[in-house]
Amino acid sequence: MEVQQQVAIPVNGTERVVGDLAVPANALGVVVFAHGSGSSRHSPRNRDVAGALVERGLATLLMDLLTEREDADDRRTGRLRFDIGRLAPRLRLATSEVLANPTTAALPVDYFGASTGAAAALLAASRDDRVRAVVSRGGRPDLAGNALPVVRAPTLLVVGGEDPVVLDLNRQAFDAMGCERDLVVVPGATHLFEEPGALEQVAAAAGDWFARHLAASRPGPT
């Protein structure tokens, strides 16, 4: 039986960011999602991926990293979606939230970031050993800057083959990183993976990556 909850994390004093938590029975881990520029936790693409991960036994937390006031400002100006230094600490707050939640407290934590959310995920992971693995979908890992060589969590970069600028940025980020990493190019896919079957390939690659590293993190027999 799947448990669904809404979580609210205080930021900026009286404001809060909100997330939707889904926990399948006997969950193996929890994946915290960081959405991309101009999107929200209601992103249909991230929700499709999250649904596929839940089917594979992973809990998911789809987070808004901006407050309602900040989101309204960002929709006017487009400036806060690139404020990686603001977004990454909120992912770390979300990590603390799931590790304090009775339904997910014992679970290892992974990150899934899209677009600018991928940079926030990598910056947060570079400062938090609680993160076991990271997946980026059509991400801007380059925006994590000097944090890239510091990331220790195994990282999968998934990019559309018809997204040449972002693909080049991901190749540069791949070269800058020193952790275990892989770059998967989905043939024929553009930035939003809207082509038939493209998003399913993202979900499958992400599920395999998380499952592999969750298995590697389990203690062996004694």
Side-chain angles (χ1 to χ4, degrees):
M1 179 178 177
E2 181 181 325
V3 176
Q4 297 189 359
Q5 304 174 18
Q6 187 174 90
V7 300
I9 302 172
V11 296
N12 299 340
T14 59
E15 296 183 282
R16 62 182 188 171
V17 290
V18 179
D20 295 329
L21 179 66
V23 185
N26 302 313
L28 304 172
V30 56
V31 180
V32 180
F33 280 68
H35 62 75
S37 55
S39 188
S40 74
R41 73 184 191 278
H42 301 297
S43 161
R45 286 171 291 278
N46 277 354
R47 287 195 170 269
D48 284 347
V49 173
L53 295 181
V54 167
E55 289 181 1
R56 294 187 63 158
L58 292 165
T60 60
L61 175 62
L62 290 114
M63 283 298 306
D64 283 338
L65 299 181
L66 297 176
T67 67
E68 288 187 5
R69 177 184 58 81
E70 291 170 333
D71 184 62
D73 177 42
D74 183 68
R75 291 184 184 280
R76 290 192 305 271
T77 67
R79 65 185 182 90
L80 295 180
R81 66 191 65 177
F82 292 99
D83 190 349
I84 307 305
R86 179 190 302 254
L87 303 179
R90 295 181 182 180
L91 267 180
R92 297 184 68 191
L93 288 174
T95 302
S96 296
E97 172 68 24
V98 297
L99 291 176
N101 189 305
T103 61
T104 52
L107 300 178
V109 178
D110 301 317
Y111 286 164
F112 183 100
S115 190
T116 54
L122 289 167
L123 179 56
S126 75
R127 300 173 177 175
D128 200 329
D129 289 335
R130 298 175 296 179
V131 182
R132 302 293 182 87
V134 178
V135 172
S136 161
R137 171 182 66 80
R140 290 290 310 275
D142 56 295
L143 295 176
N146 293 335
L148 289 175
V150 187
V151 175
R152 291 176 294 278
T155 299
L156 176 66
L157 307 173
V158 186
V159 189
E162 300 301 318
D163 192 9
V165 173
V166 172
L167 178 54
D168 185 56
L169 292 170
N170 274 259
R171 284 173 171 152
Q172 294 177 41
F174 180 93
D175 290 341
M177 299 176 76
C179 62
E180 179 188 347
R181 61 209 185 279
D182 197 5
L183 173 63
V184 170
V185 180
V186 179
T190 52
H191 185 61
L192 296 180
F193 296 88
E194 295 176 304
E195 295 72 22
L199 202 58
E200 288 80 359
Q201 292 184 61
V202 174
D208 289 346
W209 190 258
F210 291 138
R212 172 183 165 189
H213 290 95
L214 285 172
S217 68
R218 294 191 193 106
T222 58

